[in-house]
Amino acid sequence: MPASHRTPRARTLPRLAVAAATVALAAVACSPGGGHATGTSSASSSRPSAQATAIAATATATTTAASAPVPDSAPTGKGAFLGPVRRIPVDGIKIGYRQFGSGPDLVMVMGDTGTMSDWTVDLLSRLGRHYHVTVFDNRGVGYTTDDTSVPDTIPLMADDTVGLIKALGLRHPALLGWSMGGEIGLTVAALHPGAISALVSTGGDLGGSHAINTPAAVAKELNSPRTTGPQLMDLLFPADATAARAAYIEQLGLIPPEKVGDETLLRQYQAGQAYESFEGTWDKLPDSTVPMLITNGSLDKVTPPGNASIITHRAKHAERVMFPDAGHAMLVQDAGRFVSLVTRFTKASGVA
């Protein structure tokens, strides 16, 4: 539909994450290994497991970071394997990132103003068993600086992603993006196909006049300051996914939270709005030779599932996998299946 008649894009992940963190605060403070270590924590809750220690050691041995660790940024408990945040200069900004795990390189791109701490420990630990993982904050978010003299856009954040890959010396990593991160990934595959070996995009769209936008009622609820945490969780998970919802809320407290300022909220919202009229991803995607795995929850209220079909038909080397009975958070709602799917796909794509 014409961009002028489309529903304004919703700021999704930060609102949902904040809501979940608010709901979880009391529970996380009492859970083993949750949040920051305190003087009353037991030894078992704050000591990394053998697996966590091994993963962290591998990350330390293989990282190409050009800067010292950020003080007090390393999680404790179940998130200890993630290690500290590091920063590296990329095209006039400094990008904050973590690296962990072992295997072929996998770079993960978070969605609209989401931070590294919005990935769940469960999902990251599963991926760290198969890949050397890099997670990072997009410009202006958390540990990453910004240049507010230039407009923030999806193509600019795609450039940032490619710049980080080069700065870290990664050679054709696989890329995994969620929500707006999926759109950044699709734009990398379209505009910078030589930078990555494979793409996994979940909950994203192609922008421009070809995307199916968030329904008006859902966008209104997502953006309303009166919407409650439980209501926002209803938009992320189906009604019957109570166990997955509770696990997600608990998981968000295992990594120290990061700050996102009002200016960044506005700039990334504007980036999402500008993507509505950007046709570059759509135009260039058919020329890309990057193998793509396009996933979506069949019950996704935020990114209509029809976008997955649009992407798959537009790209020449894409396969589509839908997750029945799952919503926008399908990659954490069904993390086991999702990680198995990703590993099968990257192996079939020749990612060594």
Side-chain angles (χ1 to χ4, degrees), residues 261-293:
D262 290 342
E263 185 175 25
T264 296
L265 287 171
L266 176 60
R267 279 171 56 76
Q268 291 213 346
Y269 176 73
Q270 291 169 339
Q273 295 294 104
Y275 191 57
E276 290 186 1
S277 57
F278 178 72
E279 301 288 350
T281 305
W282 170 269
D283 290 343
K284 294 293 186 180
L285 197 65
D287 298 330
S288 178
T289 58
V290 175
M292 303 177 203
L293 172 64

Side-chain angles (χ1 to χ4, degrees), residues 178 202-203 236-237 295-298 300 321-323 326-335 337-338 341:
W178 180 24
T202 179
L236 196 60
F237 294 94
T295 65
N296 221 102
S298 295
D300 193 337
V321 177
M322 304 302 291
F323 279 56
H328 195 62
M330 42 74 64
L331 71 172
V332 295
Q333 181 179 336
D334 196 354
R337 183 193 172 202
F338 180 74
L341 182 65

